[in-house]
Amino acid sequence: MLLTPSCTDALEMSALLAELRPGDEVVVPSFTFVSTANAFALLGVRPVFADVDPLALNIDPASVESLIGPKTRALVVVHYGGVPCDLARLTRLADEHGLFLIEDNAHGLLGKDCDAPLGSRGRLATLSFHETKNFSSGEGGALVINDPALVERAEVIWEKGTNRSQFFRGQVAKYTWVDLGSSYLMADPLAAVLTAQFAASSEIQARRAGAWNTYRDELGDWARERDVRLGTGSADGEHPYHLFWMWMPSLQVRTAFISHMRQRGIQAVFHYQALNASLMGQVLGGRVGECPVSEAASDHVVRLPLFSDIAPTEVRAVVEAVLGFDDAAAGT
Ligand SMILES: *Cc1c(COP(=O)(O)O)cnc(C)c1O
């Protein structure tokens, strides 16, 4: 594993390591953060947007399969909210079509799929330590290298295209420019911050799990009565509790809900804009309407506050505020 300044950087390293060329295609989920696609677009590789499944908002293997063509070289998957994608089908598709599989595991650190840690099935996986993630150094990330054949080149790309890592280990007498690369190293002080975060990992995860479980347990009846769907956890446990999301019945109700929460001093936020329908996504060939679930999710999904130092009293206040939301009174 190599620490990087961000998950975005780790994704850019992945695109270089996969030896993708201009004109190649990479299949990515449409419902994800920009960097999942942008890292590849920087190299002239065309992102092709797969839709997500409506239950977990994870990349839909059937959609992936329909998009694989003669130019497809790689597949990037995201475990949305830390709930595993259908890795059995996705790894089979990658194997059958010779695709380079990358897990953008920004949400899924500590999560498991059956017994396998998320981020252990792709040839590469990326992590984020951005302030919005479970473990944070403000900005930060990592590249997880699961294929030993990629380690040496990953170190070179990480060290500005030089074999300086080998020099530090005494394997070469001096270091020199040997390949393409950039400055993808995390600064040591940030690594120290991260070390402290990981030392507190069980407390962080216990607090997040407490908040997540309280939301799920306390909001079930409220949600059912209002046609709101609560996001699921992992079927097999070992859930990273990265985010708690709800599918609201309409954009109008979601807008009223967010403003209701804001009036009570609580930030409920939404994400992502479906990448196929974004400005840049369309420049790169995406079309509005091609990822219907992802596009609907952009209008319906809202997240409740879930951060690593959230206090039980804050969780209680969020629950009370949600229970006080009456969509009829909100005029929707
Ligand atoms: C947060 C996030 C990123 C970007 O992470 P940075 O560390 O901010 O670069 C990429 N992909 C996903 C799915 C994310 O949630």
Side-chain angles (χ1 to χ4, degrees):
M1 189 183 81
L2 300 174
L3 290 173
T4 58
S6 67
C7 181
T8 301
D9 282 327
L11 286 161
E12 289 178 19
M13 290 182 71
S14 305
L16 289 166
L17 282 165
E19 301 191 54
L20 303 179
R21 307 259 175 266
D24 289 347
E25 292 179 0
V26 55
V27 178
V28 301
S30 173
F31 194 67
T32 181
F33 187 67
V34 171
S35 301
T36 314
N38 184 76
F40 298 88
L42 280 176
L43 295 180
V45 174
R46 192 164 88 88
V48 177
F49 304 105
D51 208 354
V52 294
D53 78 79
L55 276 182
L57 306 184
N58 272 332
I59 190 166
D60 177 359
S63 176
V64 172
E65 190 161 15
S66 74
L67 295 170
I68 295 173
K71 295 182 182 165
T72 315
R73 296 280 177 272
L75 169 62
V76 189
V77 303
V78 175
H79 306 293
Y80 182 69
V83 174
C85 294
D86 187 347
L87 282 167
R89 280 180 71 191
L90 292 162
T91 50
R92 196 172 339 116
L93 277 175
D95 289 346
E96 277 170 19
H97 298 274
L99 308 181
F100 195 109
L101 181 67
I102 298 160
E103 293 175 79
D104 175 349
N105 196 28
H107 299 186
L109 181 57
L110 301 185
K112 284 193 177 170
D113 177 38
C114 304
D115 280 334
L118 297 183
S120 65
R121 304 289 296 281
R123 287 178 71 188
L124 297 170
T126 63
L127 299 173
S128 175
F129 305 120
H130 184 259
E131 62 179 13
T132 53
K133 303 304 198 291
N134 290 30
F135 303 96
S136 167
S137 45
E139 297 274 359
L143 179 69
V144 178
I145 306 152
N146 295 318
D147 179 350
L150 298 172
V151 171
E152 192 175 322
R153 183 148 190 257
E155 283 184 337
V156 168
I157 290 170
W158 190 55
E159 275 278 19
K160 300 106 177 157
T162 74
N163 55 354
R164 190 164 158 189
S165 299
Q166 291 178 351
F167 172 70
F168 281 147
R169 285 194 295 266
Q171 293 164 330
V172 289
K174 57 185 183 211
Y175 73 87
T176 184
W177 185 21
V178 296
D179 200 338
L180 293 178
S182 189
S183 184
Y184 288 126
L185 292 92
M186 176 186 271
D188 287 346
L190 293 187
V193 171
L194 261 190
T195 306
Q197 291 263 296
F198 285 121
S201 144
S202 45
E203 294 101 274
I204 289 174
Q205 290 305 100
R207 223 171 298 130
R208 297 187 81 101
W212 200 97
N213 289 323
T214 303
Y215 291 154
R216 187 202 48 200
D217 295 345
E218 307 275 327
L219 300 178
D221 292 340
W222 171 88
R224 251 186 312 280
E225 283 160 21
R226 281 165 188 76
D227 211 14
V228 170
R229 188 160 61 81
L230 303 183
T232 51
S234 304
D236 294 340
E238 300 275 2
H239 184 212
Y241 303 103
H242 173 55
L243 48 87
F244 189 93
W245 60 275
M246 312 194 290
W247 184 285
M248 305 304 278
S250 70
L251 176 58
Q252 289 82 345
V253 173
R254 184 180 75 175
T255 305
F257 177 79
I258 290 173
S259 109
H260 166 90
M261 297 298 278
R262 193 183 305 119
Q263 281 159 20
R264 282 151 190 81
I266 295 167
Q267 249 202 330
V269 293
F270 62 85
H271 71 177
Y272 300 105
Q273 187 193 11
L275 294 183
N276 62 294
S278 68
L279 198 62
M280 193 59 194
Q282 292 193 60
V283 168
L284 295 169
R287 280 175 293 108
V288 175
E290 70 184 344
C291 298
V293 178
S294 186
E295 288 165 52
S298 305
D299 287 345
H300 289 256
V301 167
V302 66
R303 295 182 291 151
L304 294 183
L306 183 59
F307 38 91
S308 295
D309 54 359
I310 194 164
T313 51
E314 292 173 303
V315 175
R316 202 24 48 218
V318 173
V319 168
E320 294 305 327
V322 174
L323 295 178
F325 175 67
D326 182 348
D327 45 352
T332 52

